[in-house]
Amino acid sequence: MARDDDTATPDSTGADEQLLVLPDDLRHELKEPMGPIETDANVLLKTVDGPLIAVGDVVTYHFLRAGHPPDVAVVDERTKRQTVDEEIRETVTESTHLEAVNPPAEISAEVIEALLEGIAREEPTTILVEGEEDLIALPAIVAAPEGASVVYGQPDEGMVHVTVTDDHRAEMRALLERFEGDTERFWELLESANGDE
């Protein structure tokens, strides 16, 4: 995949530059759903009014089966730490547009760049993550436009639907500020995208 590395720092970390790491004391907070939970994709889609960002293979699969490809889908070929079954894997990765490395319990510069590129594109975009996509819902809520829907999977419960508002963005910013790592660089990446619009 061709990448524009003009914004990358000239050190040895390269494409998988680590930005943020989830601290242990935040893990329990992230288990709480950030919005209403729905089990039926068709019912959820009736409440979507604006761009749709899906984080997770099973969530993405349900939207594709409902005939509504997400504007951005972030998948990693896994669910609940296990490899997804072959039908789901083939369905969600059939049209992969971008790839990014994102280690478990981290948010990398590469995945943020891919997310921002996906949001900026006119056509539906699938991002295949090598590693784990679980935390990407957080920066997606910050980066998505007002009124967009960010949907992610809640294990054994269903799909969590967050309709992006300023309040949600502020909540996610406060949460992300509590991560360990280079928060300054993280915000620079997100804000450079917002400044380009």
Side-chain angles (χ1 to χ4, degrees):
M1 178 185 75
R3 289 169 33 85
D4 179 0
D5 279 332
D6 290 345
T7 57
T9 51
D11 61 7
S12 60
T13 55
D16 61 347
E17 177 190 348
Q18 173 187 305
L19 283 182
L20 301 182
V21 179
L22 176 65
D24 287 340
D25 63 337
L26 262 186
R27 288 177 189 269
H28 69 283
E29 287 185 48
L30 294 181
K31 290 191 187 329
E32 291 299 313
M34 296 182 278
I37 296 176
E38 181 53 65
T39 55
D40 185 322
N42 288 303
V43 172
L44 189 152
L45 284 166
K46 289 177 184 170
T47 64
V48 170
D49 181 25
L52 173 62
I53 300 171
V55 179
D57 296 63
V58 176
V59 170
T60 299
Y61 176 75
H62 285 306
F63 289 140
L64 291 169
R65 289 297 301 266
H68 191 111
D71 295 279
V72 180
V74 187
V75 299
D76 62 7
E77 301 181 328
R78 301 179 75 75
T79 182
K80 295 192 284 186
R81 309 269 188 267
Q82 303 295 317
T83 303
V84 292
D85 71 42
E86 194 63 20
E87 184 191 347
I88 292 177
R89 190 188 69 75
E90 286 181 3
T91 301
V92 302
T93 61
E94 182 179 12
S95 57
T96 297
H97 304 91
L98 302 171
E99 295 184 12
V101 174
N102 191 67
E106 293 185 19
I107 299 175
S108 70
E110 187 170 312
V111 82
I112 291 298
E113 288 165 359
L115 174 68
L116 295 174
E117 184 177 336
I119 290 171
R121 286 178 168 214
E122 293 293 323
E123 69 277 1
T125 300
T126 299
I127 302 165
L128 177 59
V129 172
E130 180 186 328
E132 200 173 271
E133 39 63 346
D134 293 20
L135 295 174
I136 309 309
L138 306 180
I141 291 167
V142 176
E146 183 83 9
S149 291
V150 176
V151 182
Y152 67 93
Q154 186 82 357
D156 303 316
E157 292 189 54
M159 297 172 280
V160 179
H161 181 195
V162 179
T163 303
V164 176
T165 63
D166 285 339
D167 286 347
H168 280 119
R169 284 201 200 96
E171 192 181 330
M172 290 309 105
R173 281 179 175 274
L175 201 57
L176 287 159
E177 279 290 336
R178 295 166 59 196
F179 276 59
E180 296 164 356
D182 192 348
T183 52
E184 188 177 332
R185 166 94 173 110
F186 174 78
W187 295 121
E188 275 175 15
L189 270 177
L190 281 182
E191 281 150 19
S192 69
N194 293 336
D196 290 342
E197 291 177 357

